[in-house]
Amino acid sequence: MRVLHSQKLTTPRPPLATSISKWRRAVPLYVMLLPTVAYFLILTYYPLVHSVFISLQNFNLIGNRPFVGLQNYQAVLSDPNFWAAFRNTLFLGASILIIGFFAPIVIALSLNEVLQQWAKRTLQMVIYIPHLFSWVVVGGLWIQLLNPAGGLVNAVLHAFGVPPVQFMSDPNTARWVIILVSVWKDVGFNCILYLAAIVGINPELYNAARVDGASHWQEVWHITIPSLIRTMQVVGLLSIMGLLRLFDQIYVMRNAVIEPKVDVLMTYVYDQGFTQMNIGQATASALLILVATLLLTLLTRRLVQFEL
Amino acid sequence: MRGTRTGGRALFVTVNLLFLALIAATMIVPLWNAVVVSLSSNFGSMQPGIQMWPRQFSVIGYKTIWTVLNLWQPFENSVIVSVFGTTIHVLLASLAGYALAQPLLPGRRVITSVILISMMIPFEAIMIPFYVTIQELGLLNTLVALILSGAVSGFSILLMRNFFQSIPNDILDAAEVDGAGHFYRLWRICMPLSKAGLATVGLFEFVGRWNNLLATVLLINDSSKDTLQVALNSLVNQGSAASSGELVTTNVKMAGIIIAILPLLFAYPFVQKYFVKGIFLGSTKE
C-alpha cells in the first residue's frame, strides 16, 4: 500500500488529450455495461413499448393480430370486474398503506424504550422473521391457523367459548385478514429502518433537551419523531410504489367465495391475460395501471421532496 | 437519566414489554405451530384443539412430501434458479456499478437515467409483454427464462456503484499507473473491498428469487420445471396434490412450509446484518 501511494505522488495521470482517446479509454467500461443495457432494453423497455402495440391489437399468441384501435381500452373501462378490482385495490391498498405506515413507527419507538440490549436485539430479530418468507408460506401458515376445523386461532377462541369463525370464507373478514397479514409480514422490515435512524440521532440533542428540563415524552415528541422524517419518506414512497402492485398475497390467499371482494388490479390483469386469454385487454389494463403508478410516484416524490 | 425508576416509569416499562412480547408472539407462535404440526402423524395433525407439542410424533409428513409428492424436483429447480440467478445478478450489478462509478465515463448520465427509470416500472405491470418477449426468444418453459428474469436490477447497480465510489481514489489510481485495466481493478481491488455490498446484493437477490412466485407462474407450464413456491402453493393453499390425487393432510402441508423456509433461516443472521446499510446506501442521492 505504501509503495502504491508513493508512486501516485510521482506519476501524473495521463492527460485526456482528445475526445477520441477519451472514448477509446471508455471501451472496457462500455463492455462492462453491455449485458446490463441489453437486459434493460430487451426485457424491460422492449416489453414496455411492445405493450403499447399489444394494447391496440386483437392479440393472439399465434395467427393474425389485427389492430383494433382503442377497443381494448373501452372493453376494460366498461368491464364491471375492472372497477370492482379497482375499488378493492383502493380499499386493500389504502388500508395496508396506512396501518403499515404507522405500525412500524409505534413498534420502533416502543423497542427503543427497551434498555436491555439483548431483549431489544432478540425482539427486533423475531419481528423481522416474517419478512423473509414468501407469500406462499405466509398464506399457508395463516390459512391453517385460521382454519375453522382444527386451526389454532379458532381453538383459542373455542377455549373462550367463541363459536368457530369462518375467517377465509366471509369476504369482509377475509379482506381484513389479508390487510393485517400484509402489515404483519413487513412490519419488522420497516421497523429496523426506523431503529437504524434512531441510533443515528445525535445524543447531544437529548442532553440539551434534558438541560432545558424536557420530560421523556417531550424528548420523544420533539427530537426522536422529527429525526425519523427522512425514513418516513423512504418508507412512504416505497409503500406507495407497491400500492398498485398487490398480487402475491391475493393470488395465494383468495378462493372462489371471496374473490369478488379481494381481487385487485394485478390479479385482474393476470386473469384476463392468462386465464381468459384476453391478452389485448389485459395489456391495456396493465398500461393504465402503470401510468397510474408512475403518476402516483411522481406526485409523492414531489410532495415529500424525495430524490432517489 | 432516561431510566429513572419512578412508579409510573416502572409501569410503563412493563406495559411496553408486554406489548412487544405480544407482537413477537404473533411471529413465533405460527412458526412453532407449523413445526409441531409437521412432526405429528397424519391423524394427529388433523385433530382440532390447541397443539403446542407434536401429537403422535412422526416424520411421515416429510416422507410423504419427499417421496409421494416428489417435492424434490421443484426444490432442485429452485436451488438451480436461485444460485445461478443470484450469481449472474451480482456479477452484472458489479460490472455496471463499477462502470458507472467512473466519473469520466462519457454518457454516464444517460445510462444512469435508463437504469433509474427502469426502477419505476414494476415487473407486475409488464408481465404480459414480458411473457410475449420470453416466448419470442423461445425460452418459455425453461429454467433459463427464470434465471434471466431479474438478471440485474437498478437498485443493485446503484448499491454497488455507491460502494465502489467510497473506495479511495489513490488505490485505484496507483493500480492504473501499474498498468492494471478496468477488469483487473474491479476484480482484484474493488470487489474484495466491497464484500459487504456483494453480500447485501447477493442475499437480497437470493431471498427474492427463492420466494419468487409470479415469474414461475407466468413462464412455466411444465410441472417438472415448477419451482418450490409454485409446487408448494398448489399443495398448501389450493389443497390439491397436483397429479397424485391423494388427500393432503395438514402435517404434509406444514412439512412443505418448513422445507421452504429452512434455507432462509440459515441465511437470516447474515441478511439482517447487511441489509439496513444496503437500503440506505442504495437510496442515497448521486
Side-chain angles (χ1 to χ4, degrees):
Chain A
M1 195 82 136
R2 205 187 314 131
V3 177
L4 293 175
H5 192 69
S6 65
Q7 274 180 339
K8 193 242 163 193
L9 288 174
T10 51
T11 322
R13 181 185 269 281
L16 299 169
T18 63
S19 62
I20 294 179
S21 83
K22 186 178 160 195
W23 286 86
R24 189 173 299 149
R25 278 165 52 89
V27 167
L29 297 174
Y30 289 128
V31 173
M32 288 173 159
L33 281 166
L34 188 67
T36 296
V37 171
Y39 174 81
F40 283 124
L41 290 183
I42 298 171
L43 288 175
T44 305
Y45 288 104
Y46 170 70
L48 187 67
V49 173
H50 199 181
S51 70
V52 176
F53 289 97
I54 297 176
S55 76
L56 299 171
Q57 286 173 325
N58 182 5
F59 191 91
N60 301 301
L61 282 177
I62 14 178
N64 276 337
R65 296 168 180 179
F67 275 87
V68 292
L70 295 175
Q71 197 180 303
N72 287 320
Y73 289 91
Q74 279 169 353
V76 171
L77 294 175
S78 60
D79 182 354
N81 288 333
F82 175 79
W83 292 107
F86 180 78
R87 283 191 300 273
N88 292 342
T89 309
L90 281 188
F91 179 78
L92 295 171
S95 308
I96 295 170
L97 189 71
I98 294 166
I99 304 174
F101 184 78
F102 289 106
I105 300 176
V106 171
I107 295 177
L109 290 174
S110 174
L111 263 175
N112 191 45
E113 299 293 331
V114 177
L115 294 175
Q116 300 92 333
Q117 276 306 310
W118 65 269
K120 196 170 170 176
R121 200 170 305 136
T122 313
L123 285 166
Q124 182 181 327
M125 279 177 68
V126 166
I127 294 172
Y128 176 65
I129 288 179
H131 182 73
L132 276 184
F133 299 160
S134 68
W135 266 107
V136 173
V137 165
V138 171
L141 282 176
W142 280 102
I143 289 173
Q144 171 56 25
L145 286 166
L146 297 170
N147 181 0
L152 186 69
V153 173
N154 269 302
V156 172
L157 290 178
H158 181 75
F160 287 101
V162 181
V165 181
Q166 308 279 337
F167 286 101
M168 294 311 286
S169 45
D170 173 346
N172 291 315
T173 331
R175 281 179 140 191
W176 283 102
V177 169
I178 290 175
I179 291 166
L180 292 175
V181 173
S182 299
V183 173
W184 175 82
K185 185 176 187 293
D186 290 334
V187 76
F189 178 82
N190 293 328
C191 193
I192 289 181
L193 296 182
Y194 287 112
L195 285 172
I198 290 175
V199 170
I201 299 174
N202 185 353
E204 288 297 318
L205 290 174
Y206 291 109
N207 289 334
R210 241 162 268 149
V211 170
D212 290 346
S215 73
H216 187 65
W217 289 111
Q218 285 173 323
E219 282 177 25
V220 171
W221 188 249
H222 293 291
I223 299 174
T224 316
I225 294 180
S227 306
L228 297 179
I229 286 176
R230 159 91 186 158
T231 313
M232 291 179 195
Q233 289 176 344
V234 176
V235 171
L237 184 73
L238 290 176
S239 319
I240 285 178
M241 284 171 83
L243 183 73
L244 299 175
R245 299 174 62 173
L246 280 179
F247 179 83
D248 279 21
Q249 55 261 65
I250 312 293
Y251 181 82
V252 162
M253 291 183 88
R254 68 180 173 171
N255 57 54
V257 188
I258 63 173
E259 263 167 30
K261 284 283 193 178
V262 303
D263 270 0
V264 289
L265 289 168
M266 282 306 167
T267 49
Y268 174 85
V269 172
Y270 176 83
D271 290 340
Q272 281 295 326
F274 295 97
T275 317
Q276 326 249 2
M277 296 312 268
N278 279 332
I279 289 184
Q281 196 176 325
T283 310
S285 52
L287 268 177
L288 290 173
I289 299 166
L290 183 64
V291 171
T293 311
L294 292 182
L295 287 178
L296 202 59
T297 312
L298 291 175
L299 188 72
T300 324
R301 276 170 77 157
R302 172 148 300 185
L303 281 179
V304 302
Q305 321 237 305
F306 180 83
E307 287 194 62
L308 203 63
Chain B
M1 279 303 290
R2 295 181 76 192
T4 323
R5 294 289 166 130
T6 60
R9 181 77 193 150
L11 180 68
F12 171 77
V13 168
T14 316
V15 172
N16 188 42
L17 271 176
L18 277 176
F19 166 73
L20 289 170
L22 193 70
I23 303 269
T26 70
M27 319 280 168
I28 293 288
V29 172
L31 267 190
W32 179 246
N33 185 63
V35 173
V36 164
V37 173
S38 76
L39 291 169
S40 299
S41 69
N42 291 350
F43 178 74
S45 75
M46 302 291 272
Q47 297 302 302
I50 299 170
Q51 189 177 358
M52 278 296 129
W53 212 245
R55 286 206 193 97
Q56 305 161 7
F57 177 87
S58 157
V59 292
I60 182 86
Y62 291 89
K63 270 190 188 151
T64 309
I65 214 157
W66 224 239
T67 54
V68 182
L69 300 175
N70 281 322
L71 207 69
W72 172 245
Q73 181 67 53
F75 187 88
E76 191 186 306
N77 293 339
S78 273
V79 170
I80 293 173
V81 170
S82 304
V83 170
F84 282 99
T86 305
T87 312
I88 292 174
H89 186 99
V90 170
L91 273 178
L92 293 193
S94 303
L95 286 168
Y98 176 87
L100 293 178
Q102 308 305 313
L104 296 175
L105 176 73
R108 187 172 82 131
R109 295 192 75 85
V110 179
I111 300 171
T112 309
S113 307
V114 168
I115 292 169
L116 278 176
I117 294 168
S118 80
M119 290 170 76
M120 289 170 64
I121 306 166
F123 178 79
E124 289 87 345
I126 54 166
M127 60 179 155
I128 289 162
F130 187 90
Y131 170 90
V132 173
T133 309
I134 292 290
Q135 190 200 33
E136 287 171 354
L137 293 170
L139 293 172
L140 268 193
N141 256 326
T142 61
L143 294 185
V144 176
L146 297 182
I147 292 171
L148 271 186
S149 66
V152 71
S153 76
F155 178 80
S156 305
I157 294 172
L158 292 187
L159 200 144
M160 288 317 301
R161 184 199 65 176
N162 292 354
F163 260 91
F164 294 152
Q165 273 173 345
S166 69
I167 294 172
N169 271 331
D170 289 359
I171 304 178
L172 294 173
D173 288 348
E176 190 181 2
V177 169
D178 284 349
H182 285 298
F183 283 95
Y184 184 92
R185 275 181 270 166
L186 169 62
W187 187 250
R188 282 298 163 96
I189 299 172
C190 291
M191 284 175 72
L193 286 174
S194 308
K195 281 189 187 129
L198 296 172
T200 310
V201 172
L203 285 165
F204 259 56
E205 187 60 19
F206 183 84
V207 173
R209 283 183 178 267
W210 185 262
N211 286 339
N212 189 303
L213 178 73
L214 184 56
T216 316
V217 167
L218 289 186
L219 305 176
I220 302 293
N221 275 324
D222 173 357
S223 65
S224 76
K225 292 187 183 117
D226 270 347
T227 53
L228 186 62
Q229 300 299 334
V230 173
L232 197 63
N233 188 43
S234 50
L235 186 73
V236 173
N237 299 320
Q238 317 301 325
S240 70
S243 51
S244 71
E246 186 152 327
L247 172 72
V248 184
T249 47
T250 316
N251 56 343
V252 176
K253 294 180 178 182
M254 293 301 126
I257 283 180
I258 299 295
I259 288 170
I261 65 181
L262 271 184
L264 301 178
L265 290 181
F266 283 119
Y268 173 60
F270 306 101
V271 179
Q272 225 214 353
K273 185 171 152 198
Y274 289 120
F275 91 102
V276 177
K277 206 175 172 186
I279 284 281
F280 281 113
L281 268 170
S283 65
T284 43
K285 222 179 131 186
E286 188 182 0

mmCIF file of all heavy atoms in Angstrom, chain A residues 184-201:
data_model
loop_
_atom_site.group_PDB
_atom_site.id
_atom_site.type_symbol
_atom_site.label_atom_id
_atom_site.label_comp_id
_atom_site.label_asym_id
_atom_site.label_seq_id
_atom_site.Cartn_x
_atom_site.Cartn_y
_atom_site.Cartn_z
ATOM 1 N N TRP A 184 -48.436 -7.410 8.974
ATOM 2 C CA TRP A 184 -47.670 -8.317 9.842
ATOM 3 C C TRP A 184 -46.372 -8.750 9.167
ATOM 4 O O TRP A 184 -45.309 -8.772 9.785
ATOM 5 C CB TRP A 184 -48.552 -9.530 10.153
ATOM 6 C CG TRP A 184 -47.930 -10.642 10.928
ATOM 7 C CD1 TRP A 184 -47.782 -10.694 12.277
ATOM 8 C CD2 TRP A 184 -47.377 -11.860 10.419
ATOM 9 N NE1 TRP A 184 -47.185 -11.873 12.637
ATOM 10 C CE2 TRP A 184 -46.925 -12.607 11.517
ATOM 11 C CE3 TRP A 184 -47.237 -12.387 9.124
ATOM 12 C CZ2 TRP A 184 -46.333 -13.863 11.379
ATOM 13 C CZ3 TRP A 184 -46.644 -13.640 8.987
ATOM 14 C CH2 TRP A 184 -46.203 -14.359 10.107
ATOM 15 N N LYS A 185 -46.459 -9.073 7.865
ATOM 16 C CA LYS A 185 -45.294 -9.602 7.165
ATOM 17 C C LYS A 185 -44.172 -8.564 7.079
ATOM 18 O O LYS A 185 -43.005 -8.893 7.222
ATOM 19 C CB LYS A 185 -45.708 -10.038 5.756
ATOM 20 C CG LYS A 185 -44.616 -10.717 4.954
ATOM 21 C CD LYS A 185 -45.173 -11.186 3.625
ATOM 22 C CE LYS A 185 -44.173 -12.026 2.859
ATOM 23 N NZ LYS A 185 -43.003 -11.261 2.402
ATOM 24 N N ASP A 186 -44.527 -7.307 6.851
ATOM 25 C CA ASP A 186 -43.497 -6.311 6.558
ATOM 26 C C ASP A 186 -43.162 -5.384 7.707
ATOM 27 O O ASP A 186 -42.277 -4.540 7.583
ATOM 28 C CB ASP A 186 -43.917 -5.471 5.347
ATOM 29 C CG ASP A 186 -43.869 -6.292 4.076
ATOM 30 O OD1 ASP A 186 -43.091 -7.263 4.051
ATOM 31 O OD2 ASP A 186 -44.609 -5.986 3.136
ATOM 32 N N VAL A 187 -43.872 -5.513 8.825
ATOM 33 C CA VAL A 187 -43.686 -4.532 9.893
ATOM 34 C C VAL A 187 -42.248 -4.544 10.419
ATOM 35 O O VAL A 187 -41.663 -3.490 10.669
ATOM 36 C CB VAL A 187 -44.726 -4.757 11.023
ATOM 37 C CG1 VAL A 187 -44.386 -5.941 11.890
ATOM 38 C CG2 VAL A 187 -44.879 -3.517 11.862
ATOM 39 N N GLY A 188 -41.642 -5.721 10.522
ATOM 40 C CA GLY A 188 -40.291 -5.819 11.055
ATOM 41 C C GLY A 188 -39.259 -5.162 10.157
ATOM 42 O O GLY A 188 -38.298 -4.552 10.633
ATOM 43 N N PHE A 189 -39.462 -5.276 8.864
ATOM 44 C CA PHE A 189 -38.544 -4.687 7.895
ATOM 45 C C PHE A 189 -38.483 -3.173 8.068
ATOM 46 O O PHE A 189 -37.422 -2.589 8.269
ATOM 47 C CB PHE A 189 -39.022 -5.051 6.484
ATOM 48 C CG PHE A 189 -38.196 -4.458 5.375
ATOM 49 C CD1 PHE A 189 -37.024 -5.062 4.978
ATOM 50 C CD2 PHE A 189 -38.605 -3.301 4.733
ATOM 51 C CE1 PHE A 189 -36.257 -4.521 3.959
ATOM 52 C CE2 PHE A 189 -37.854 -2.755 3.715
ATOM 53 C CZ PHE A 189 -36.680 -3.369 3.330
ATOM 54 N N ASN A 190 -39.657 -2.537 8.050
ATOM 55 C CA ASN A 190 -39.690 -1.083 8.177
ATOM 56 C C ASN A 190 -39.252 -0.647 9.569
ATOM 57 O O ASN A 190 -38.626 0.393 9.733
ATOM 58 C CB ASN A 190 -41.087 -0.562 7.858
ATOM 59 C CG ASN A 190 -41.428 -0.778 6.394
ATOM 60 O OD1 ASN A 190 -40.546 -0.739 5.539
ATOM 61 N ND2 ASN A 190 -42.691 -1.020 6.102
ATOM 62 N N CYS A 191 -39.581 -1.462 10.554
ATOM 63 C CA CYS A 191 -39.204 -1.174 11.935
ATOM 64 C C CYS A 191 -37.686 -1.031 12.069
ATOM 65 O O CYS A 191 -37.192 -0.132 12.748
ATOM 66 C CB CYS A 191 -39.713 -2.324 12.786
ATOM 67 S SG CYS A 191 -39.669 -2.010 14.495
ATOM 68 N N ILE A 192 -36.955 -1.925 11.403
ATOM 69 C CA ILE A 192 -35.499 -1.889 11.525
ATOM 70 C C ILE A 192 -34.936 -0.637 10.859
ATOM 71 O O ILE A 192 -33.966 -0.050 11.342
ATOM 72 C CB ILE A 192 -34.885 -3.193 10.959
ATOM 73 C CG1 ILE A 192 -35.232 -4.329 11.919
ATOM 74 C CG2 ILE A 192 -33.394 -3.080 10.820
ATOM 75 C CD1 ILE A 192 -34.678 -5.656 11.529
ATOM 76 N N LEU A 193 -35.581 -0.187 9.791
ATOM 77 C CA LEU A 193 -35.146 1.071 9.176
ATOM 78 C C LEU A 193 -35.279 2.220 10.177
ATOM 79 O O LEU A 193 -34.389 3.065 10.303
ATOM 80 C CB LEU A 193 -35.977 1.383 7.931
ATOM 81 C CG LEU A 193 -35.864 0.416 6.759
ATOM 82 C CD1 LEU A 193 -36.713 0.904 5.599
ATOM 83 C CD2 LEU A 193 -34.420 0.286 6.321
ATOM 84 N N TYR A 194 -36.397 2.245 10.904
ATOM 85 C CA TYR A 194 -36.589 3.309 11.898
ATOM 86 C C TYR A 194 -35.580 3.191 13.032
ATOM 87 O O TYR A 194 -35.033 4.197 13.492
ATOM 88 C CB TYR A 194 -38.012 3.278 12.450
ATOM 89 C CG TYR A 194 -39.026 3.792 11.454
ATOM 90 C CD1 TYR A 194 -39.973 2.949 10.884
ATOM 91 C CD2 TYR A 194 -39.024 5.124 11.070
ATOM 92 C CE1 TYR A 194 -40.891 3.411 9.959
ATOM 93 C CE2 TYR A 194 -39.935 5.603 10.141
ATOM 94 C CZ TYR A 194 -40.869 4.740 9.594
ATOM 95 O OH TYR A 194 -41.758 5.201 8.674
ATOM 96 N N LEU A 195 -35.329 1.965 13.485
ATOM 97 C CA LEU A 195 -34.363 1.788 14.575
ATOM 98 C C LEU A 195 -32.980 2.263 14.153
ATOM 99 O O LEU A 195 -32.275 2.912 14.930
ATOM 100 C CB LEU A 195 -34.314 0.315 14.999
ATOM 101 C CG LEU A 195 -35.511 -0.132 15.821
ATOM 102 C CD1 LEU A 195 -35.479 -1.633 16.029
ATOM 103 C CD2 LEU A 195 -35.530 0.582 17.169
ATOM 104 N N ALA A 196 -32.614 1.985 12.906
ATOM 105 C CA ALA A 196 -31.310 2.437 12.421
ATOM 106 C C ALA A 196 -31.246 3.959 12.444
ATOM 107 O O ALA A 196 -30.223 4.549 12.790
ATOM 108 C CB ALA A 196 -31.066 1.916 11.011
ATOM 109 N N ALA A 197 -32.354 4.599 12.082
ATOM 110 C CA ALA A 197 -32.386 6.056 12.083
ATOM 111 C C ALA A 197 -32.295 6.598 13.514
ATOM 112 O O ALA A 197 -31.630 7.600 13.769
ATOM 113 C CB ALA A 197 -33.655 6.553 11.415
ATOM 114 N N ILE A 198 -32.952 5.913 14.457
ATOM 115 C CA ILE A 198 -32.925 6.368 15.854
ATOM 116 C C ILE A 198 -31.499 6.295 16.403
ATOM 117 O O ILE A 198 -31.037 7.204 17.090
ATOM 118 C CB ILE A 198 -33.888 5.518 16.719
ATOM 119 C CG1 ILE A 198 -35.343 5.844 16.344
ATOM 120 C CG2 ILE A 198 -33.664 5.789 18.203
ATOM 121 C CD1 ILE A 198 -36.378 4.993 17.049
ATOM 122 N N VAL A 199 -30.790 5.200 16.046
ATOM 123 C CA VAL A 199 -29.412 5.052 16.511
ATOM 124 C C VAL A 199 -28.555 6.213 16.011
ATOM 125 O O VAL A 199 -27.638 6.679 16.691
ATOM 126 C CB VAL A 199 -28.826 3.701 16.024
ATOM 127 C CG1 VAL A 199 -27.332 3.627 16.282
ATOM 128 C CG2 VAL A 199 -29.533 2.546 16.717
ATOM 129 N N GLY A 200 -28.905 6.728 14.826
ATOM 130 C CA GLY A 200 -28.100 7.791 14.235
ATOM 131 C C GLY A 200 -28.382 9.187 14.781
ATOM 132 O O GLY A 200 -27.739 10.150 14.371
ATOM 133 N N ILE A 201 -29.334 9.305 15.693
ATOM 134 C CA ILE A 201 -29.646 10.645 16.221
ATOM 135 C C ILE A 201 -28.528 11.114 17.142
ATOM 136 O O ILE A 201 -28.040 10.356 17.977
ATOM 137 C CB ILE A 201 -30.990 10.623 17.001
ATOM 138 C CG1 ILE A 201 -32.131 10.222 16.070
ATOM 139 C CG2 ILE A 201 -31.272 11.991 17.614
ATOM 140 C CD1 ILE A 201 -33.455 10.041 16.779
#
